[in-house]
Amino acid sequence: MIERIVIIDSVDPVSFYGVNNSNMQLIRNLFPKLRVTARGSVIKVIGDDAETAEFEKKIKELEEYCSKFNKLTEDVILDIVKGKTPDEPKLDDVIIYGINGKPISGRNANQVKMVKSFRDNDLTFALGPAGTGKTYIAIALAVKALKNREVKKIILSRPAVEAGEKLGFLPGDMKDKIDPYLQPLYDALEDMIPAVKLKEYLDTKVIQIAPLAFMRGRTLNDAVIVLDEAQNTTTHQIKMFLTRLGMNGKMIITGDVTQIDLPRSVGSGLVQALRVLKGVPGIGRIEFGKKDIVRHPLVQRIVEAYESADKKGETEAETELTKEVQE
């Protein structure tokens, strides 16, 4: 009799073991000659050498499946333990599988183009109105690269630009003041990574979420770096951010040039970067439009209404100016 220790470190143990340890109980029943105990990410098994070796092999296969699809069902366990290939969802353009096996994929032509641009370029600009899925797809691509061990970490950043409330007036310490600006990034991650695993990634800094000001002086190697809401960066900030890219790094910059919250006297760094970097090899650019909005259908109508109002306002302003000149 020997004892083997199997570590399942790439999945959330809660997802792996199942509700009320139902998955683990099934696995025990499929290996009746072995004594199996599981706690956290550690599984101990005692028994014959050949059988414990087979047990370890099957556990690793189950871990690989659970890591890819973020779920483990009774049918999958039975298939893998019995040596069969489990049925896998066959969907085009799937990036990753989120919580409970939810497939995350490009939902329109421009999202698919963004996936291709990320694959082909080290820097991708994703531009367009709110609700087009720019940030969500960017984070999905970063999580996929991390899961596939193409990179060692994910860096997510946003400029902490005030829009109405002053940072100093918000309660709490610096983290409490900054977190509301970064909440959309947390929301996307929570859709894609089980809670226990996400906490581990955040605690060990495998995934880092920080305001743009904290990027200065860093060289970001072996990482996917995402800058969200880039239209609110200054020219100096975006240049500083772009030059953080290190070896084996990929960068995605998202923004909407129609929603700039900077003071009127401050130019948008994103607008300047798009102009300066136009035509530079290794840089992709995807432009989303109103028709790419994937939120509630009302969002598209809201965007169209504001665009119409803006155009009307410009026309009225020009008319007033013409009257003043004529008078």
Side-chain angles (χ1 to χ4, degrees), residues 131-288:
T132 51
K134 308 180 300 294
T135 302
Y136 198 79
I137 294 297
I139 293 178
L141 290 167
V143 171
K144 178 181 181 180
L146 182 67
K147 280 192 167 189
N148 292 346
R149 304 184 191 276
E150 296 167 11
V151 296
K152 295 179 180 177
K153 58 192 171 187
I154 296 172
I155 314 291
L156 306 176
S157 187
R158 263 188 162 202
V161 174
E162 300 163 356
E165 285 185 291
K166 296 293 184 183
L167 279 173
F169 294 157
L170 296 174
D173 58 17
M174 179 59 75
K175 183 179 184 301
D176 294 330
K177 292 175 191 291
I178 287 170
D179 269 359
Y181 292 92
L182 306 176
Q183 192 58 48
L185 306 180
Y186 288 110
D187 290 343
L189 287 170
E190 287 167 359
D191 257 9
M192 302 173 195
I193 303 174
V196 173
K197 198 65 185 176
L198 177 57
K199 184 178 186 304
E200 178 190 324
Y201 281 150
L202 291 169
D203 290 345
T204 57
K205 298 191 182 302
V206 171
I207 295 178
Q208 301 172 32
I209 305 178
L212 183 59
F214 292 9
M215 294 293 110
R216 187 171 296 279
R218 302 183 67 184
T219 301
L220 305 173
N221 298 314
D222 298 308
V224 176
I225 311 111
V226 178
L227 175 61
D228 192 32
E229 300 289 351
Q231 76 275 5
N232 289 328
T233 60
T234 65
T235 55
H236 295 296
Q237 284 176 328
I238 201 162
K239 181 181 177 183
M240 176 273 292
F241 184 83
L242 288 167
T243 53
R244 300 307 95 200
L245 186 62
M247 301 301 294
N248 191 38
K250 280 186 174 262
M251 191 173 277
I252 304 175
I253 296 179
T254 71
D256 177 5
V257 294
T258 68
Q259 290 189 335
I260 298 173
D261 297 319
L262 294 167
R264 290 183 180 275
S265 59
V266 179
S268 169
L270 176 61
V271 174
Q272 184 205 43
L274 292 170
R275 184 176 65 253
V276 171
L277 300 176
K278 187 176 182 179
V280 175
I283 298 178
R285 176 170 169 169
I286 309 300
E287 296 192 18
F288 293 84

Side-chain angles (χ1 to χ4, degrees), residues 26-230:
L26 174 59
I27 291 169
R28 288 191 183 97
N29 293 338
L30 292 170
F31 291 91
K33 296 181 181 179
L34 302 178
R35 286 168 48 198
V36 180
T37 57
R39 177 169 293 181
S41 59
V42 178
I43 301 175
K44 293 183 180 179
V45 56
I46 299 174
D48 176 75
D49 185 26
E51 287 200 22
T52 56
E54 178 66 11
F55 176 87
E56 181 176 13
K57 177 174 175 288
K58 295 301 181 183
I59 290 294
K60 285 300 177 183
E61 289 178 16
L62 291 169
E63 180 186 13
E64 183 180 352
Y65 184 97
C66 187
S67 176
K68 181 178 179 180
F69 295 103
N70 264 332
K71 67 175 183 178
L72 195 59
T73 64
E74 180 178 318
D75 290 341
V76 169
I77 294 171
L78 290 170
D79 284 343
I80 288 178
V81 171
K82 292 178 180 179
K84 299 178 181 178
T85 301
D87 292 333
E88 296 186 3
K90 289 181 173 57
L91 297 172
D92 293 335
D93 302 318
V94 172
I95 302 169
I96 58 169
Y97 291 85
I99 300 302
N100 298 323
K102 168 191 171 186
I104 297 172
S105 60
R107 293 175 60 182
N108 54 50
N110 277 325
Q111 288 188 1
V112 173
K113 285 180 183 177
M114 184 175 169
V115 175
K116 184 177 185 300
S117 178
F118 177 79
R119 184 175 65 243
D120 297 341
N121 300 287
D122 289 334
L123 170 59
T124 295
F125 286 98
L127 314 167
T132 51
K134 308 180 300 294
T135 302
Y136 198 79
I137 294 297
I139 293 178
L141 290 167
V143 171
K144 178 181 181 180
L146 182 67
K147 280 192 167 189
N148 292 346
R149 304 184 191 276
E150 296 167 11
V151 296
K152 295 179 180 177
K153 58 192 171 187
I154 296 172
I155 314 291
L156 306 176
S157 187
R158 263 188 162 202
V161 174
E162 300 163 356
E165 285 185 291
K166 296 293 184 183
L167 279 173
F169 294 157
L170 296 174
D173 58 17
M174 179 59 75
K175 183 179 184 301
D176 294 330
K177 292 175 191 291
I178 287 170
D179 269 359
Y181 292 92
L182 306 176
Q183 192 58 48
L185 306 180
Y186 288 110
D187 290 343
L189 287 170
E190 287 167 359
D191 257 9
M192 302 173 195
I193 303 174
V196 173
K197 198 65 185 176
L198 177 57
K199 184 178 186 304
E200 178 190 324
Y201 281 150
L202 291 169
D203 290 345
T204 57
K205 298 191 182 302
V206 171
I207 295 178
Q208 301 172 32
I209 305 178
L212 183 59
F214 292 9
M215 294 293 110
R216 187 171 296 279
R218 302 183 67 184
T219 301
L220 305 173
N221 298 314
D222 298 308
V224 176
I225 311 111
V226 178
L227 175 61
D228 192 32
E229 300 289 351

